[in-house]
Amino acid sequence: MALAVSAAPAAQSATEVLSARIGPGKTSTRFVLDLNTPVSFNVFTLEKPYRVVIDLPAVTWRLDPLRTPRGGLIRAFRYGHFRDNVSRVVLDVSRPVAIARAFVLPPKTGRIHRLVVDLRPVSAAEFSRHAKPKPAAAPRTDTAPIPLPKRRIPRSVKTVAIDPGHGGVDPGAIGVRGTREKRVTLSHALTLARKLRASGRYRVVLTRVRDVFVPLRMRVAIARRRAADIFISLHADSIRRSSVRGASIYTLSERASDRQAARLAAKENKADLIAGIDLNEQTSDVASFLIDLAQRQTMNDSADFARILTNEIGKVRPLLRNTHRFAGFAVLKAPDVPSVLVELGYLSNPSDERRLNQRRERERVTAAIVRAVDRYFAREQAFKR
Ligand SMILES: [Zn+2]
């Protein structure tokens, strides 16, 4: 079901979302956003899993990250930048729902405009009887196949692709004190990029440089199109047991090294779903894949780099035991770019969270990654001699 509502447009960047509330009623659930101006919006439902998506013009979010309302039919809610001039809210709902009403209320007193969406429970059959959703077009995903290069041209200046995990409407993990993974990954990525560029030895490609959602496949495509020699995806996990801490490093494999690695890959692979993308309209290669022979050398190189990284990061950070693990991460699937995913630490652990927010610690860990990159390419040079 889709519903588009227009209102007199305000100066778009000036629109601020001040708070979000949920009113769990007996028969329906009301979701309310408080805004400083009226907005136009588009609301629609998705299935597998059941979600409600509200697209807005680009807005400024003023919500308290520690206060995440839920209740009634709404199990969880996320918000953030989606693409170009679209900001997005994604509601996870506990069952099939229909949008009963959606409207903007002008202020009765004061200056607060209210965007109201009323949801009512429906049967799965009724849900699928409704019209197809009309979501705002997803960011370009660069799905056109990129051929494998015939032969890598040896270059003195290597290209390093850095991938700050999550972003925009996908916040990633949330720390015990409210730190959002998407900010930690971006700050580390920008510091790492600066150090690599300053060395004069590397060209650097970033998959994002601001708080924006980037689909997983596009992250891979960016690295491949720029013929990156190595791909580093940065993350900071969160789990229920708050005593668990330390960095860990992951590479791609068909079968996971252990249950935690499998769980982590499943979670990280959900990024597109979390951002309110209809996976029914995509091919399923995010979910399953096969590794062909062409990928074998890339996987060996990835494992080599992971070993060097483990060694260097271990000098400056506590490590999770069995530091190098593997699983089916969608973002590590470039067949021709050695790729690793670094979990810098656990946002669910108070001391890790503190570290991940400290500039000094950020400088230390990114310097360790630079040393690992240096060692990795030096080893490659040694083979050639
Ligand atoms: Zn992550």
Side-chain angles (χ1 to χ4, degrees), residues 273-307:
L273 208 109
I274 277 169
I277 298 234
D278 188 359
L279 293 184
N280 286 331
E281 290 172 2
Q282 294 193 3
T283 54
S284 61
D285 76 351
V286 170
S288 66
F289 61 93
L290 285 169
I291 295 158
D292 60 27
L293 284 171
Q295 208 161 342
R296 216 32 92 181
Q297 186 54 44
T298 305
M299 292 179 73
N300 292 341
D301 288 341
S302 304
D304 279 352
F305 182 48
R307 269 192 292 276

Coordinates of all heavy atoms in Angstrom, one line a residue, residues 273-307:
L273 N 18.0 -4.2 4.0 CA 16.7 -4.5 4.5 C 16.4 -3.4 5.6 O 15.3 -2.9 5.7 CB 16.8 -5.8 5.2 CG 15.5 -6.7 5.2 CD1 15.7 -7.8 4.3 CD2 15.4 -7.2 6.6
I274 N 17.3 -3.1 6.4 CA 17.2 -2.2 7.5 C 16.9 -0.8 7.0 O 16.1 -0.1 7.6 CB 18.5 -2.2 8.4 CG1 18.4 -3.4 9.4 CG2 18.7 -0.9 9.1 CD1 19.6 -3.7 10.1
A275 N 17.4 -0.5 5.8 CA 17.2 0.8 5.2 C 15.9 0.9 4.5 O 15.6 1.9 3.8 CB 18.4 1.2 4.3
G276 N 15.1 -0.2 4.5 CA 13.8 -0.1 3.9 C 13.8 -0.4 2.4 O 13.0 0.2 1.6
I277 N 14.7 -1.2 1.9 CA 14.8 -1.6 0.5 C 13.9 -2.9 0.4 O 14.0 -3.8 1.2 CB 16.2 -1.9 0.1 CG1 17.0 -0.6 0.3 CG2 16.3 -2.4 -1.3 CD1 17.8 -0.1 -0.9
D278 N 13.2 -2.9 -0.7 CA 12.4 -4.1 -1.0 C 13.2 -5.1 -1.7 O 13.5 -5.0 -2.9 CB 11.2 -3.7 -1.9 CG 10.2 -4.8 -2.1 OD1 10.4 -5.9 -1.5 OD2 9.2 -4.6 -2.7
L279 N 13.6 -6.1 -0.9 CA 14.5 -7.2 -1.5 C 13.8 -8.1 -2.5 O 14.5 -8.8 -3.3 CB 15.2 -8.0 -0.4 CG 16.1 -7.2 0.5 CD1 16.8 -8.2 1.5 CD2 17.2 -6.5 -0.3
N280 N 12.5 -8.0 -2.5 CA 11.7 -8.8 -3.5 C 12.1 -8.3 -4.9 O 12.0 -9.1 -5.9 CB 10.2 -8.6 -3.4 CG 9.7 -9.3 -2.2 OD1 10.3 -10.4 -1.8 ND2 8.7 -8.8 -1.6
E281 N 12.5 -7.1 -5.1 CA 12.8 -6.5 -6.4 C 14.3 -6.7 -6.8 O 14.7 -6.3 -7.8 CB 12.5 -5.0 -6.4 CG 11.0 -4.8 -6.4 CD 10.6 -3.4 -6.3 OE1 11.5 -2.5 -6.2 OE2 9.4 -3.1 -6.2
Q282 N 15.1 -7.3 -5.9 CA 16.5 -7.5 -6.2 C 16.7 -9.0 -6.4 O 16.0 -9.9 -6.0 CB 17.4 -7.1 -5.0 CG 17.3 -5.6 -4.8 CD 18.4 -5.1 -3.9 OE1 19.2 -5.9 -3.5 NE2 18.4 -3.9 -3.6
T283 N 17.8 -9.3 -7.1 CA 18.2 -10.7 -7.3 C 18.7 -11.1 -5.9 O 19.1 -10.3 -5.1 CB 19.3 -10.9 -8.3 OG1 20.4 -10.0 -8.0 CG2 18.8 -10.6 -9.7
S284 N 18.8 -12.4 -5.7 CA 19.1 -12.8 -4.3 C 20.6 -13.1 -4.1 O 20.9 -13.8 -3.1 CB 18.3 -14.1 -4.0 OG 18.7 -15.1 -4.9
D285 N 21.4 -12.5 -4.9 CA 22.9 -12.8 -4.7 C 23.4 -12.2 -3.4 O 24.5 -12.6 -3.0 CB 23.7 -12.5 -5.9 CG 24.0 -11.0 -6.0 OD1 23.4 -10.2 -5.3 OD2 24.8 -10.7 -6.9
V286 N 22.7 -11.4 -2.7 CA 23.2 -10.9 -1.4 C 23.0 -12.0 -0.4 O 23.9 -12.2 0.5 CB 22.3 -9.7 -1.0 CG1 22.7 -9.3 0.5 CG2 22.7 -8.5 -1.9
A287 N 22.0 -12.8 -0.6 CA 21.7 -13.9 0.4 C 22.6 -15.1 0.2 O 23.1 -15.8 1.1 CB 20.3 -14.3 0.3
S288 N 22.9 -15.5 -1.0 CA 23.7 -16.7 -1.3 C 24.7 -16.4 -2.4 O 24.5 -15.6 -3.3 CB 22.8 -17.8 -1.6 OG 22.2 -17.6 -2.9
F289 N 25.7 -17.2 -2.4 CA 26.7 -17.0 -3.4 C 27.6 -18.2 -3.5 O 27.7 -19.0 -2.6 CB 27.6 -15.8 -3.1 CG 28.4 -15.9 -1.8 CD1 29.6 -16.4 -1.8 CD2 27.8 -15.6 -0.6 CE1 30.3 -16.6 -0.6 CE2 28.4 -15.8 0.6 CZ 29.7 -16.3 0.6
L290 N 28.3 -18.3 -4.6 CA 29.3 -19.4 -4.8 C 30.6 -18.8 -5.1 O 30.7 -17.7 -5.7 CB 28.8 -20.2 -6.0 CG 27.7 -21.2 -5.7 CD1 27.2 -21.8 -7.1 CD2 28.1 -22.3 -4.8
I291 N 31.6 -19.4 -4.6 CA 33.0 -18.9 -4.8 C 33.6 -19.7 -6.0 O 33.7 -20.9 -5.9 CB 33.8 -19.0 -3.5 CG1 33.2 -18.1 -2.5 CG2 35.2 -18.6 -3.8 CD1 33.6 -18.5 -1.1
D292 N 34.0 -19.0 -7.0 CA 34.6 -19.7 -8.1 C 36.1 -19.7 -8.0 O 36.6 -19.1 -7.1 CB 34.1 -19.2 -9.5 CG 34.4 -17.8 -9.7 OD1 35.4 -17.3 -9.1 OD2 33.7 -17.1 -10.4
L293 N 36.7 -20.3 -8.9 CA 38.2 -20.5 -8.9 C 38.9 -19.1 -9.0 O 39.9 -18.9 -8.4 CB 38.7 -21.4 -9.9 CG 38.4 -22.9 -9.6 CD1 38.8 -23.7 -10.8 CD2 39.3 -23.3 -8.4
A294 N 38.3 -18.2 -9.8 CA 38.9 -16.9 -10.0 C 39.0 -16.2 -8.6 O 39.9 -15.3 -8.5 CB 38.1 -16.1 -11.0
Q295 N 38.1 -16.5 -7.7 CA 38.1 -15.8 -6.5 C 39.1 -16.4 -5.5 O 39.4 -15.9 -4.4 CB 36.7 -15.9 -5.9 CG 36.3 -14.8 -5.0 CD 34.8 -14.6 -4.8 OE1 34.1 -15.2 -5.6 NE2 34.5 -13.9 -3.8
R296 N 39.6 -17.6 -5.8 CA 40.5 -18.3 -4.9 C 41.7 -17.5 -4.4 O 42.0 -17.4 -3.3 CB 40.9 -19.6 -5.5 CG 41.1 -20.9 -4.7 CD 40.2 -21.1 -3.6 NE 39.0 -21.8 -3.9 CZ 38.1 -22.1 -3.0 NH1 38.2 -21.7 -1.7 NH2 37.0 -22.7 -3.3
Q297 N 42.4 -16.9 -5.5 CA 43.6 -16.1 -5.2 C 43.3 -14.9 -4.3 O 44.0 -14.6 -3.4 CB 44.4 -15.7 -6.5 CG 45.7 -15.0 -6.2 CD 46.6 -15.8 -5.3 OE1 46.8 -17.1 -5.5 NE2 47.3 -15.2 -4.4
T298 N 42.2 -14.3 -4.7 CA 41.7 -13.1 -3.9 C 41.5 -13.5 -2.5 O 41.8 -12.7 -1.6 CB 40.4 -12.6 -4.5 OG1 40.6 -12.3 -5.9 CG2 39.9 -11.3 -3.9
M299 N 40.9 -14.7 -2.3 CA 40.6 -15.1 -0.9 C 41.9 -15.4 -0.1 O 42.0 -15.1 1.0 CB 39.7 -16.3 -0.9 CG 38.3 -16.0 -1.4 SD 37.3 -17.4 -1.5 CE 36.9 -17.7 0.3
N300 N 42.9 -16.0 -0.8 CA 44.2 -16.2 -0.2 C 44.8 -14.8 0.2 O 45.4 -14.7 1.3 CB 45.2 -16.9 -1.1 CG 44.7 -18.4 -1.3 OD1 43.9 -18.9 -0.6 ND2 45.2 -19.0 -2.4
D301 N 44.8 -13.9 -0.7 CA 45.3 -12.5 -0.4 C 44.6 -11.9 0.8 O 45.2 -11.3 1.6 CB 45.2 -11.6 -1.7 CG 46.2 -12.1 -2.7 OD1 47.2 -12.8 -2.4 OD2 46.0 -11.7 -3.9
S302 N 43.3 -12.1 0.8 CA 42.5 -11.5 1.9 C 42.9 -12.1 3.2 O 43.0 -11.4 4.2 CB 41.0 -11.8 1.7 OG 40.5 -11.4 0.4
A303 N 43.1 -13.4 3.2 CA 43.5 -14.1 4.4 C 44.9 -13.6 4.9 O 45.1 -13.4 6.1 CB 43.5 -15.6 4.2
D304 N 45.8 -13.4 3.9 CA 47.2 -12.9 4.3 C 47.0 -11.5 4.9 O 47.7 -11.2 5.9 CB 48.0 -12.7 3.0 CG 48.6 -14.0 2.6 OD1 48.5 -15.0 3.3 OD2 49.2 -14.1 1.5
F305 N 46.2 -10.6 4.3 CA 46.1 -9.3 4.8 C 45.4 -9.3 6.2 O 45.8 -8.6 7.1 CB 45.2 -8.4 3.8 CG 45.1 -7.0 4.3 CD1 46.2 -6.3 4.7 CD2 43.8 -6.4 4.3 CE1 46.0 -5.0 5.2 CE2 43.7 -5.1 4.7 CZ 44.8 -4.4 5.1
A306 N 44.4 -10.2 6.4 CA 43.8 -10.4 7.7 C 44.8 -10.8 8.8 O 44.7 -10.3 9.9 CB 42.6 -11.4 7.6
R307 N 45.7 -11.7 8.4 CA 46.7 -12.1 9.4 C 47.6 -10.9 9.8 O 47.9 -10.7 11.0 CB 47.6 -13.2 8.8 CG 47.0 -14.6 9.1 CD 48.1 -15.7 8.8 NE 48.3 -15.8 7.3 CZ 47.5 -16.5 6.5 NH1 46.5 -17.2 7.0 NH2 47.7 -16.6 5.2

